[in-house]
Amino acid sequence: MSTQADPFREWYSNEIWGKQAKDDDALFEVMSLQVFQAGLTWSMILGKRDAFRNAFQGWEIDAVANIGPPAVELIIKDASIIRNRKKIEACIHNAEVVKELQQKHGSFCGWFYGLSGEGSLQGDELGILQKQLKATFKFMGPEIARMWLFASGRLHRSDHSHD
């Protein structure tokens, strides 16, 4: 069986996966792409990354938080992205939550990377963190939270032996 190289996946693996986001908007994009990926393949999501960036105004948190109902209807009609209303509305809601976290903690990255302290997650810490993320954000079940933690460099393979 031959395997073809997937340039999007290679780019994501080399440039994004497992690395701490450098700014709040970048971390928000990684989280949002995880939301859209639920139930779908990464190849599909990464192939639509530019379209997502266009539809969601570059994943700029303030801009996404200000997307209103008329703009949601336009986004839902955009065939170049995943047109799932619940996921679209979850990303907008999550941007509003991120703005609140920024106001309370100074930055989204500071809040996120400070969860459960520094270092690896041991024992029940991962489950507690997944529950906290689920309680904080929409469309953030345990598996989406776990994959976001991996993607954003907060969780490492050595932290969790069930992979």
Side-chain angles (χ1 to χ4, degrees):
M1 179 188 306
S2 68
T3 328
Q4 289 185 315
D6 180 343
F8 289 118
R9 195 174 194 108
E10 285 180 29
W11 165 82
Y12 186 76
S13 294
N14 293 331
E15 301 297 323
I16 306 295
W17 180 264
K19 295 176 177 59
Q20 282 196 2
K22 295 182 182 359
D23 64 58
D24 287 0
D25 291 338
L27 181 60
F28 177 66
E29 177 180 17
V30 172
M31 177 180 72
S32 299
L33 291 177
Q34 292 293 332
V35 166
F36 275 102
Q37 190 272 328
L40 303 170
T41 66
W42 261 117
S43 295
M44 178 185 293
I45 299 305
L46 294 177
K48 295 177 179 288
R49 181 178 182 243
D50 289 340
F52 278 118
R53 289 180 65 77
N54 185 55
F56 287 92
Q57 302 176 41
W59 294 111
E60 199 275 320
I61 295 163
D62 289 333
V64 175
N66 289 322
I67 293 174
V72 168
E73 296 308 316
L74 290 174
I75 292 170
I76 288 172
K77 293 176 184 173
D78 183 349
S80 66
I81 66 161
I82 306 302
R83 297 178 292 176
N84 180 307
R85 181 181 294 275
K86 288 183 179 184
K87 291 179 180 183
I88 292 167
E89 290 175 347
C91 288
I92 295 165
H93 170 82
N94 291 345
E96 294 167 357
V97 171
V98 168
K99 284 181 66 169
E100 292 171 12
L101 291 169
Q102 287 173 320
Q103 290 172 354
K104 187 174 181 182
H105 299 280
S107 77
F108 181 38
C109 288
W111 173 82
F112 179 75
Y113 290 111
L115 290 173
S116 295
E118 294 294 320
S120 64
L121 298 170
Q122 302 296 324
D124 292 334
E125 291 176 326
L126 176 59
I128 292 167
L129 186 52
Q130 287 170 301
K131 287 178 184 173
Q132 183 177 1
L133 294 173
K134 181 180 179 181
T136 304
F137 300 106
K138 282 190 176 180
F139 223 98
M140 184 63 60
E143 184 62 14
I144 295 170
R146 187 175 74 87
M147 295 312 293
W148 179 35
L149 292 166
F150 275 124
S152 61
R154 182 59 189 89
L155 184 63
H156 306 281
R157 294 255 180 238
S158 61
D159 294 337
H160 191 58
S161 60
H162 300 325
D163 296 311

